[in-house]
Amino acid sequence: MLSVTLGPGLLSQVFDGLQNPLEVIAGKHGFFLPRGIDVFPLDQRKKWLFTPSVSIGDKVEAGQAIGSVPEGRFNHKIMVPFDLKGTAEITRILEGNFTVEEPIAHIKTSKGEERELALAQRWPVRRPVPEKMLKSRVVKRVYPYEPLTTTTRIIDTFFPIARGGTACIPGPFGAGKTVLQNLISRYSHIDIVIIVACGERAGEVVETITEFPNMPDPLTGGVLMDRTIIICNTSSMPVAARESSIYTGVTLGEYYRQMGYQVLLIADSTSRWAQAMRETSGRMEEIPGEEGFPAYLDSSIKNIYERAGVIKTSDNTEGSLTMIGTVSPAGGNFEEPVTQATLGTVKTFLGLSSGRAYKRFYPAIDPLISWSRYLDQLKPWFDKNINADWVNEVKMMHEMLHRGEAIYQMMQVTGEEGITIEDYIDWQKATIVDMVFLQQDAFDDVDVTVSSERQQESFALMKKLIIQDYKFKDKDECQEFFTKITGLYKNFNYSPVDAPAYKNYKQEITALSDKYLSI
Ligand code: ADP
Ligand code: MG
């Protein structure tokens, strides 16, 4: 079974699905990978400063920290091997500078076996890291209870993803999956990002590994790569590497979660991974299921997403692994097996539509087909941290959008003249929610990332505009009004919170809408 090496020095690396470090390989062999090479994933010469946190005679359990080394700005916990059964006693513990393979401690298990520990340990990728520790209750699973802040309005407000939860982003080619996953990994409030880039063409992956790493990290001022690991594969890599890439990524994610970090894993696109699985299955002459995928496609997808979650360790640190996968169904047909199996597993569905992408309504998440189970599941959190009406208000706003669409469809048949002014106003209201709240400008320095507080403030302003009753002479006046408000609102979105313009636009919006109040 394929195993990975877990230890300091994983961050900022680019690996293939078998954890070969691609930069090292490129340095040795050039850019065309020779067959069958196997390179140690971590730097074998680098010395890490190890500071122990246990002493001789201490009793330890699987996953418990025995000390740490600084890895960039992270405190990398060195943990007792995850497969240890029962408790063991520390019989030797060192302090100082060590490579990842040198011994730093000895333990004696309850059965009297001696084991030597190094900074790095190995783990089979198909087995969840906490599996045994959950059984022996060394770690506990905690139900995801708070949202992950992505700073993308349509996600955080309408279709939230829980910290430690799961989401999928299906969408046809060119709908903006990769751009969205880059935005999410760049701006989400998390410690560590793992990107599993499964590309059709090598070019898709090249963008991710050349542009992404050098981007500034909005949370720390460093570069993003300092807190990122990329697992990358293209169609030209061996099928085994392509198939294992997601498992490798998840295992690395579970490793940092075990240290108490908030980890985000993004897999783009899981369809390529499923294709690798189909190839392997075909070669093994297994009985194919739907569209040639193996019959276990469903359970394989479930097994992967089930490894997301919040974990509490015995020393009460809490870490999380949130998983987001994009799916690229051929022709944008969501009925195909990979999309369907994924939809049956994840709790947030952010469906991209080519129609919205064509109109350049970005992010092209279609509010009429998307959903999030977390809106209800995290209600206690929203009640406590925003307000007790939040979830209902979001649902009301969501219904508005559906109503707007229904009116729009009607107008397609009857023309603008065929509908009442009341319906016309409702359609305009739904449109403005879309234009200034659901859409977000990734090319504007301010609008690209919106804090939760600002989203809530904007939502309150939006709500005020929506629930008001207006009086207009005719549809032209109504249209003129909403066009003006939309313009002001966009400028409001582009203004930094601390700039005078922010307050001014807000006041202008309120003043203008008050002029047309029906009393
Ligand atoms: P996919 O991965 O779904 O095939 P991409 O993410 O590569 O699609 O997006 C295709 C193109 O659409 C991008 O190159 C960009 O021009 C445009 N695009 C996608 N999302 C956005 C966005 N949020 N803002 C602006 N342009 C976008
Ligand atoms: Mg893409």
Side-chain angles (χ1 to χ4, degrees), residues 31-94:
F31 289 104
F32 292 96
L33 304 187
R35 276 178 182 278
I37 41 166
D38 188 14
V39 179
F40 193 77
L42 299 173
D43 189 335
Q44 281 165 302
R45 275 163 309 179
K46 184 172 165 109
K47 297 228 178 209
W48 300 88
L49 178 61
F50 175 67
T51 310
S53 59
V54 293
S55 324
I56 290 175
D58 284 355
K59 296 274 195 282
V60 290
E61 290 177 303
Q64 193 177 326
I66 56 166
S68 64
V69 305
E71 181 182 16
R73 66 190 168 84
F74 295 97
N75 184 39
H76 188 118
K77 282 188 187 171
I78 305 303
M79 296 171 282
V80 175
F82 305 129
D83 61 355
L84 177 77
K85 284 200 195 80
T87 53
E89 188 184 321
I90 302 278
T91 53
R92 182 169 183 236
I93 182 96
L94 302 174

Side-chain angles (χ1 to χ4, degrees), residues 260-410:
Y261 288 114
Q262 316 307 324
V263 185
L264 171 67
L265 177 127
I266 294 206
D268 178 30
S269 127
T270 58
S271 299
R272 308 281 168 258
W273 161 76
Q275 278 159 8
M277 192 158 65
R278 175 162 66 185
E279 277 176 50
T280 322
S281 167
R283 284 183 203 184
M284 297 199 299
E285 300 187 4
E286 292 169 348
I287 298 168
E290 224 182 317
E291 289 189 22
F293 287 107
Y296 47 81
L297 174 73
D298 234 66
S299 63
S300 296
I301 289 177
K302 272 207 172 59
N303 284 340
I304 285 177
Y305 283 104
E306 271 169 5
R307 291 172 71 170
V310 182
I311 289 282
K312 198 175 216 147
T313 58
S314 50
D315 62 354
N316 260 338
T317 31
E318 195 183 277
S320 65
L321 174 60
T322 308
M323 288 179 41
I324 304 177
T326 72
V327 189
S328 38
N333 166 26
F334 290 174
E335 297 306 316
E336 59 83 46
V338 182
T339 313
Q340 285 302 312
T342 309
L343 283 185
T345 302
V346 298
K347 297 217 163 137
T348 305
F349 164 53
L350 305 169
L352 304 190
S353 88
S354 47
R356 288 179 74 82
Y358 181 76
K359 287 190 276 190
R360 308 195 67 78
F361 284 6
Y362 291 119
I365 298 168
D366 189 340
L368 303 176
I369 60 169
S370 301
W371 44 257
S372 167
R373 309 242 184 276
Y374 295 119
L375 193 60
D376 283 322
Q377 280 184 20
L378 302 183
K379 189 169 187 303
W381 192 94
F382 292 124
D383 284 355
K384 186 160 164 249
N385 293 279
I386 306 182
N387 66 63
D389 287 328
W390 179 257
V391 173
N392 282 336
E393 285 172 0
V394 170
K395 286 182 178 172
M396 177 207 83
M397 203 71 101
H398 197 193
E399 271 163 32
M400 265 287 313
L401 296 168
H402 278 283
R403 182 163 155 64
E405 174 65 15
I407 299 169
Y408 177 75
Q409 293 302 337
M410 204 151 68

Side-chain angles (χ1 to χ4, degrees), residues 219-231:
L219 298 179
T220 63
V223 290
L224 280 181
M225 207 54 201
D226 296 344
R227 60 170 164 101
T228 305
I229 305 172
I230 296 178
I231 318 285

